């Protein structure tokens, strides 16, 4: 009951277009004052401040910054050229190239919107010129951008790991195989469309051309291999790896590709700072809500009430999957993680679900949520780039979303899909 | 026109603060790795990095407020007729300002108590100094809201949407 009233109040404020972070803060303060009195007010700034001083979350601004710098350094063009040389000979090659490029870009970027903004502005018009409908082009770019949050690094994974108190490195590793399966599945769907609508072949396969484009893009491949390799190998933490990524991106942009200018760099830094602040304010105000939830033992009560109905972990996972899919329709991924993960974690633990496995499920779920209107940040960005109607794009995108749903079901009910690599490396 | 000039100057100021914090944070974490690699770890590395993140959170939030970049849901308010939209916008802005006014006031009051606490790794630095970001950040946030309210109400009176900046979308 308490939780319904609490989230009902947050919902009303959010519907009035009060920023979610502020709505959380207002409701939390009201709840704390009602239950503990005004004497508790002086604690609140300290709680808010402490909520924003979480060391592992420093990886968020640093990965955002590294991705922005790499994008401003002309990396997208080189990745597209390489993917085209490798995959362009297949029927419907350009759509498959788009998915392949998204998979490569995902290793640099932890954000699906950054992925679709960087690649979509080049590939959507290119697909249109080659005779693909703009709706199809937007659907391919939008769905493949979801791979950016499944394949490491991933900002939603960092956020989840910190809030759930689990290993971000293990979560990164868990995302690798499902990300590759998702990419191949999306390519299969694009190929099916290509055969049906007779989309063109781009170029013949020439090993010399593949080698030439590979050499030009080699820094784009080396950087994630080095950064993620040192993180996975335990040489550096995820946060330190993110700082190394910034330095490496600067080095590549300024001295190797020499395409990074100061104006681009300044814009990248400001955007990275603002995006970080937006998420971190949510994290900080959710700490206020955490004070009330902990005091009132709301997550434990929720866990107990679900446990009285079922303790079967597969049923619990099905319930949570449905919950996150519904939330994904209306909430941005960061907000959904911050709002729900602290509440459902006792239930997850009580049902014996591995928190890393659950983190992977949450990430894929919310990746799908970015594709489903009305609140679909990635889809909306793709549609804005392609100047296409969101609902028309959705009619095609539903097939690609079905592929992502299949990956979600596979990851949920065959945990080894993502977890075998984690077990192999860390357990 | 005058308010636009103030808004623009305020935006440039906050941008400089955000750039300085982002660059310092990146440099500080990198420095921490270098020192640890050469076997001489910096004791203040974690604590200072966490403080920089908190400062980036609150100063960056004021910039995000100025750019209308905080994550919200403008769909329902946008669908209202202008005569309902204006009161809804005014109510929402009043709630936001009241929240940060309360936070700023309590945050300022508590600084006095915190002035006797010092950082663990840098005992010469007062906790009150690091947590001054709460009242200052709250004040800057309120200023950002006040500077954007006239434009927001003008949008609410017209037929156009009052959607937030696309910056809010970019993190996902």
């Amino acid at each position: 009951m308490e939780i319904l009233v609490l989230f009902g109040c947050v919902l009303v404020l959010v519907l009035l277009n009060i920023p979610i972070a502020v709505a959380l803060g207002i409701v939390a303060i009201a709840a704390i004052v009602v239950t503990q009195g005004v004497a508790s007010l002086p604690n609140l700034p300290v709680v808010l401040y402490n909520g924003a001083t979480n060391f592992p979350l420093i990886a968020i601004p640093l990965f955002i910054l590294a991705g922005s710098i790499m994008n401003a350094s002309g990396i997208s063009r080189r990745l597209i050229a390489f993917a085209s040389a490798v995959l362009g000979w297949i029927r419907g090659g350009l759509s498959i190239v788009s998915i392949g490029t998204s998979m490569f870009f995902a290793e640099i970027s932890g954000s699906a919107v950054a992925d679709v903004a960087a690649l979509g502005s080049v590939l959507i018009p290119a697909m249109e010129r080659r005779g693909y409908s703009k709706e199809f082009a937007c659907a391919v770019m939008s769905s493949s951008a979801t791979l950016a949050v499944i394949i490491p690094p991933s900002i939603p994974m960092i956020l989840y790991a910190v809030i759930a108190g689990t290993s971000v490195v293990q979560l990164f590793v868990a995302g690798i195989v499902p990300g590759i399966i998702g990419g191949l599945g999306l390519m299969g769907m694009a190929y099916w469309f290509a055969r049906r609508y007779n989309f063109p072949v781009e170029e013949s396969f020439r090993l010399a051309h593949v080698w030439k484009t590979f050499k030009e893009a080699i820094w784009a491949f080396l950087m994630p291999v080095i950064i993620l390799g040192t993180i996975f190998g335990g040489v550096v933490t995820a946060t330190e790896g993110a700082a190394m990524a910034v330095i490496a991106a600067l080095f590549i942009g300024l001295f190797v590709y020499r395409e990074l200018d100061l104006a681009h760099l300044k814009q990248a830094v400001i955007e990275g700072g603002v995006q970080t602040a937006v998420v971190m304010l949510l994290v900080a105000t959710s700490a206020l809500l955490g004070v009330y939830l902990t005091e009132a033992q709301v997550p434990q009560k929720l866990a107990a009430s679900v446990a009285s109905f079922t303790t079967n972990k597969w049923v619990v996972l099905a319930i949570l999957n449905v919950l996150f899919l519904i939330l994904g329709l209306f909430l941005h991924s960061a907000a959904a993680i911050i709002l729900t993960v602290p509440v459902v974690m006792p239930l997850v633990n009580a049902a014996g679900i591995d928190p890393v496995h659950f983190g992977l499920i949450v990430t894929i779920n919310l990746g799908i949520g970015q594709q489903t209107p009305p609140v679909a940040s990635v889809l909306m960005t793709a549609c804005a780039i392609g100047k296409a109607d969101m609902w028309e794009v959705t009619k095609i995108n539903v097939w690609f979303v079905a592929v992502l749903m299949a990956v979600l079901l596979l990851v949920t009910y065959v945990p080894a899909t993502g977890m075998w690599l984690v077990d192999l490396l860390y357990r | 026109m005058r308010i636009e000039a103030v808004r623009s100057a305020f935006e440039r100021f906050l941008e400089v603060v955000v750039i300085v914090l982002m660059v310092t944070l990146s440099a500080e974490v990198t420095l921490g790795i270098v020192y640890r690699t050469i076997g001489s770890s910096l004791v203040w590395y974690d604590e200072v990095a966490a403080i920089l993140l908190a400062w980036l959170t609150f100063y960056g939030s004021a910039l995000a407020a100025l750019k209308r970049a905080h994550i919200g849901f403008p769909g329902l308010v946008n669908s209202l007729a202008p005569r309902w939209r204006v009161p809804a916008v005014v109510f929402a802005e009043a709630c936001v300002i009241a929240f940060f006014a309360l936070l700023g006031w309590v945050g300022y009051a508590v600084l006095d108590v915190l002035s006797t606490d010092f950082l663990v790794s840098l005992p010469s630095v007062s906790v009150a100094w690091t947590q001054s970001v709460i009242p200052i950040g709250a004040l800057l946030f309120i200023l950002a809201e006040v500077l954007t309210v006239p434009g927001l109400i003008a949008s609410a009176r017209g037929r156009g949407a009052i959607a937030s900046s696309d910056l809010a979308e970019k993190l996902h």
Side-chain angles (χ1 to χ4, degrees), chain A residues 13-22 25-26 29 41-42 45-46 48-50 52-55 57-58 60-62 64-65 110-114 149 155 235-236 239-241 243-244 246-247 266 269-282 284-285 288 330 332-335 370 375 377-378 380-381, chain B residues 15 18-20 22-23 25-30 32-33 36 45-47 49-51 53-61 63-64 67-77 88-89 91-93 95-96 99-100 102-103 105-108 110 114 127 130-134 141 145 162 166-172:
Chain A
L13 294 178
V14 168
L15 287 175
L16 286 167
N17 199 25
I18 291 174
I20 298 174
V22 179
I26 292 172
I29 289 179
L41 276 179
V46 180
L48 194 75
Y49 179 84
N50 288 340
T53 54
N54 205 322
F55 184 78
L57 289 176
I58 293 169
I60 292 179
L62 299 179
I64 291 174
L65 189 57
S111 150
V113 178
V149 297
I155 288 162
V235 180
V236 293
T239 307
E240 293 169 344
M244 283 172 56
V246 172
I247 302 300
K266 182 185 158 204
V269 174
I270 292 170
E271 283 199 12
V274 169
Q275 290 163 29
T276 304
V278 165
V279 171
M280 286 304 300
L281 188 66
L282 264 168
T285 54
L288 290 177
F330 303 101
H332 294 268
S333 57
Q370 294 170 339
V375 178
S377 51
V378 178
M380 282 194 283
T381 308
Chain B
E15 284 180 350
V18 166
I19 289 171
V20 168
M22 283 287 278
V23 171
L25 184 60
S26 308
E28 200 258 353
V29 177
T30 309
I33 304 169
R36 204 190 61 205
Y45 154 65
D46 298 27
E47 200 172 13
I51 291 166
L53 181 64
W55 286 7
L56 180 64
T57 301
F58 295 104
Y59 293 126
S61 284
L63 181 59
K67 291 176 183 286
R68 309 299 306 180
H70 283 287
I71 300 171
F73 187 78
L76 183 76
V77 175
V89 165
F91 175 76
E93 289 305 304
C95 285
V96 173
F99 172 72
F100 280 98
L102 175 68
L103 211 59
W105 172 58
V106 186
Y108 178 74
V110 88
L114 294 173
V127 171
T130 61
Q131 295 209 12
S132 64
V133 69
I134 299 284
F141 202 110
E145 289 292 313
I162 54 159
D166 60 354
L167 259 176
E169 310 287 341
K170 287 196 174 177
L171 194 82
H172 309 281

Side-chain angles (χ1 to χ4, degrees), chain A residues 133 135-136 139 193 391-400:
Chain A
S133 73
E135 288 78 14
F136 178 81
F193 269 97
W391 296 103
E392 291 301 315
V393 174
T394 299
K395 286 178 190 168
I396 296 170
N397 201 31
V398 72
W399 294 99
F400 293 98

Side-chain angles (χ1 to χ4, degrees), chain A residues 352-389:
Chain A
I353 300 164
D354 186 322
V356 174
H357 179 216
F358 183 61
L360 182 60
I361 292 169
V362 169
T363 304
I364 299 173
N365 248 312
L366 296 176
I368 293 169
Q370 294 170 339
Q371 306 293 328
T372 47
V375 178
S377 51
V378 178
L379 180 68
M380 282 194 283
T381 308
C383 293
I385 294 168
K387 295 182 177 63
D389 180 80

Side-chain angles (χ1 to χ4, degrees), chain A residues 305-387:
Chain A
S305 67
V306 176
S308 66
F309 162 65
T310 179
T311 49
N312 182 312
K313 81 177 210 178
W314 306 113
V315 177
V316 171
L317 278 175
I319 294 169
L320 291 173
N321 262 332
V322 172
L323 170 75
F324 276 97
L325 284 172
I326 293 170
L327 282 174
L329 293 172
F330 303 101
L331 280 179
H332 294 268
S333 57
I337 289 171
I338 290 163
L339 268 173
T340 52
V341 169
V343 178
V344 300
M345 277 323 282
L347 173 61
V348 169
N349 293 328
I353 300 164
D354 186 322
V356 174
H357 179 216
F358 183 61
L360 182 60
I361 292 169
V362 169
T363 304
I364 299 173
N365 248 312
L366 296 176
I368 293 169
Q370 294 170 339
Q371 306 293 328
T372 47
V375 178
S377 51
V378 178
L379 180 68
M380 282 194 283
T381 308
C383 293
I385 294 168
K387 295 182 177 63

Side-chain angles (χ1 to χ4, degrees), chain A residues 79-81 83-102 119-120 122-133 136-137 140-141 144 186-187 190-191 194 199-203:
Chain A
L79 286 175
I80 292 166
S84 185
V86 175
L87 300 165
W89 56 275
I90 305 170
R91 181 154 300 284
L94 198 50
S95 58
I96 293 170
V97 165
S98 302
I99 297 164
T101 312
S102 276
L119 302 179
V122 179
L123 286 167
I124 291 173
M127 276 192 267
E128 276 193 76
R129 280 195 298 275
R130 295 291 287 153
Y132 297 76
S133 73
F136 178 81
V140 166
M141 279 318 311
S144 60
L186 292 174
M187 282 182 186
Y191 182 71
F199 289 150
V201 170
E202 292 308 307
E203 54 183 282

